Amino acid sequence: MRLDDLTPSTLRDPYGYSLKWHFFPEDVLPMWVADMDFPIAPAIVQGVLERLQERVGYPQMKGDPALLQSILQQQEARGLKGLTPDNLLLTTSVVPGIYASVLALSSPGDEVITQVPVYHPFLNALQEHHRVARYNPLQRTPQGWAIDFDQLESLVTPRTRLLLLCNPQNPTGRVFRRDELERLAEFALRHRLWVMSDELWADLIYEGRHIPLASLGPEIAQRTVTLTGPCKAYNTAGLGGGVAISHNPQILAALARVLKGLGGHPNVLAMAAWRAALEHGQAWLEEVRAYLRGNRDLITAFVQQHLPQVGYWPPEATYLAWFDFSATFGPRAHQVMLEQAKLGLNDGQMFGHQYQGWLRLNFATSRDLLQEALERMARVVQALA
Ligand SMILES: Cc1ncc(COP(=O)(O)O)c(C=O)c1O
């Protein structure tokens, strides 16, 4: 199968292009930054090439009309209804949308709540822009990761302005259920918070169903900005492209003010790739999702059999596995994996300071390379015994 056919020598391109494959020394298997080792859908290549045959002058300010329609259709299918192109603000990628949301919907000194562990730019944006981060650690329960609603309630003060939500959640892979999202929406409304809901991973779900927070009702829709983009599902991170979506035009106007002169107009090739992905990429996406699910299941079976001492809950979404090696290697887990297992993973501390000894592994690679990584991991753990 095509997705099986990957080797480190071809993945480590000779030009030094790939961050993932050129960051660590050559004997290290890199399974960190979140892009896939698979080639992109042929339809995307074709869409980009065709776009280059046309004018590449300034595109329309709001973005290519056909792309905007495809995004609206995608969102409608997910449950975000009643949107028009005026409810979309294209961004160069999703991270600028995260920063713009923080800047537009809170002020320096304001308190902002987020579940942790979480995608590190959430935390960086707050710290770099002098917002006071209030952490709502996800709880480990026998059923997996869960929101601690009592602790969440205790975090609110008169300075709390904003809730940052990641759903599906990076790095735990949780897909929040309707009842959880309803409680979050009720919480945000009762405390008059704005909400940024990063839903970039919504197309890579294995169990459960993606429910956009803003689909839960008109009131929460008025207080929410939803972020998404093509790069996780379609592996186009180097092209960029993102969108901020809101039923509340004032939220989008506030983000646009922050981005003015900095955000830039959307890149025509990114827009062409995104449009091709949405219009013609579904079969590719389904094949890749099924393959990733198989990889997820391989990890689950391997950990049960060979690494029972390691904390791990199978992700319901994403291609990220989140491991607790703190009892095994303590805070040195990342270094041990790098130096002894020759595995390049993400250090858990990036996702919240209390996650020392945790590691994030990107499993969007071939089954052979994943198996090799798991065996390298198991060898260093077993060497301890
Ligand atoms: C939750 C989340 N948001 C945003 C991004 C980055 O998006 P982009 O590359 O479009 O800026 C990532 C990348 O891993 C992510 O996991």
Side-chain angles (χ1 to χ4, degrees):
M1 191 201 201
R2 200 170 37 86
L3 303 179
D4 276 323
D5 197 16
L6 302 175
T7 55
S9 57
T10 48
L11 290 165
R12 194 175 286 108
D13 63 89
Y15 316 105
Y17 287 154
S18 165
L19 173 64
K20 186 199 261 173
W21 282 89
H22 289 280
F23 188 79
F24 294 109
E26 283 204 11
D27 56 349
V28 171
L29 194 50
M31 304 189 81
W32 62 296
V33 66
D35 60 25
M36 304 184 195
D37 287 340
F38 311 131
I40 58 172
I44 296 181
V45 177
Q46 195 186 334
V48 171
L49 292 177
E50 281 173 12
R51 183 64 184 83
L52 279 170
Q53 311 296 319
E54 305 296 331
R55 298 169 60 86
V56 291
Y58 288 112
Q60 293 212 45
M61 299 275 209
K62 288 189 64 66
D64 288 349
L67 170 63
L68 299 177
Q69 287 307 323
S70 294
I71 294 171
L72 291 175
Q73 275 171 25
Q74 177 198 43
Q75 294 303 318
E76 168 117 16
R78 285 183 188 171
L80 275 189
K81 313 257 186 225
L83 298 171
T84 73
D86 287 341
N87 301 106
L88 307 180
L89 173 69
L90 290 190
T91 51
T92 46
S93 75
V94 176
V95 168
I98 297 172
Y99 274 71
S101 300
V102 167
L103 290 170
L105 303 175
S106 67
S107 303
D110 282 349
E111 297 180 14
V112 180
I113 298 177
T114 188
Q115 280 73 40
V116 282
V118 78
Y119 180 54
H120 51 288
F122 283 38
L123 307 175
N124 297 346
L126 299 181
Q127 198 200 351
E128 290 158 13
H129 293 284
H130 311 290
R131 273 58 172 173
V132 181
R134 296 284 178 221
Y135 305 120
N136 177 220
L138 292 166
Q139 294 297 297
R140 285 180 269 170
T141 73
Q143 291 75 39
W145 295 97
I147 296 174
D148 183 341
F149 283 98
D150 292 334
Q151 197 265 358
L152 179 66
E153 207 64 57
S154 75
L155 294 175
V156 179
T157 77
R159 287 303 303 259
T160 315
R161 291 282 174 279
L162 175 63
L163 173 68
L164 304 181
L165 175 67
C166 188
N167 180 39
Q169 220 267 346
N170 172 4
T172 62
R174 266 307 312 278
V175 177
F176 294 115
R177 294 182 314 267
R178 180 175 291 277
D179 61 299
E180 294 171 298
L181 293 170
E182 278 173 353
R183 278 184 84 172
L184 277 181
E186 186 276 327
F187 166 81
L189 289 174
R190 186 157 36 83
H191 295 291
R192 303 186 57 74
L193 306 182
W194 300 112
V195 186
M196 182 216 82
S197 183
D198 180 332
E199 303 183 4
L200 177 57
W201 288 93
D203 277 333
L204 289 176
I205 292 185
Y206 315 115
E207 272 97 37
R209 195 171 77 79
H210 179 68
I211 301 173
L213 185 77
S215 71
L216 295 179
E219 280 181 297
I220 191 65
Q222 285 300 314
R223 299 203 69 90
T224 302
V225 57
T226 306
L227 305 182
T228 194
C231 76
K232 294 302 140 188
Y234 296 101
N235 200 25
T236 54
L239 281 164
V243 62
I245 306 168
S246 185
H247 287 79
N248 182 344
Q250 285 170 352
I251 292 183
L252 291 187
L255 263 70
R257 267 196 300 280
V258 167
L259 289 164
K260 189 163 185 208
L262 297 170
H265 54 75
N267 179 300
V268 294
L269 300 185
M271 288 193 286
W274 192 353
R275 179 183 166 196
L278 293 178
E279 290 180 6
H280 308 291
Q282 295 313 302
W284 182 94
L285 177 60
E286 272 164 38
E287 183 191 6
V288 166
R289 195 165 38 214
Y291 193 87
L292 291 173
R293 184 195 186 109
N295 280 1
R296 193 273 315 255
D297 294 344
L298 171 69
I299 295 173
T300 306
F302 189 96
V303 170
Q304 265 167 14
Q305 204 181 342
H306 302 288
L307 294 167
Q309 63 277 64
V310 172
Y312 161 82
W313 289 262
E316 300 160 306
T318 78
Y319 46 72
L320 309 167
W322 180 237
F323 295 113
D324 180 4
F325 277 95
S326 57
T328 327
F329 297 122
R332 294 183 62 254
H334 182 258
Q335 203 183 338
V336 171
M337 285 299 165
L338 185 59
E339 289 172 2
Q340 295 178 30
K342 302 287 178 194
L343 268 185
L345 307 177
N346 282 100
D347 192 338
Q349 288 181 78
M350 291 171 68
F351 307 93
H353 57 81
Q354 60 271 65
Y355 299 98
Q356 277 199 347
W358 290 72
L359 296 169
R360 193 190 75 171
L361 175 143
N362 169 349
F363 58 83
T365 191
S366 72
R367 216 145 287 164
D368 283 355
L369 290 180
L370 177 60
Q371 180 78 31
E372 165 73 23
L374 294 171
E375 282 168 14
R376 288 187 189 193
M377 227 179 215
R379 274 200 293 276
V380 291
V381 173
Q382 281 150 11
L384 273 183

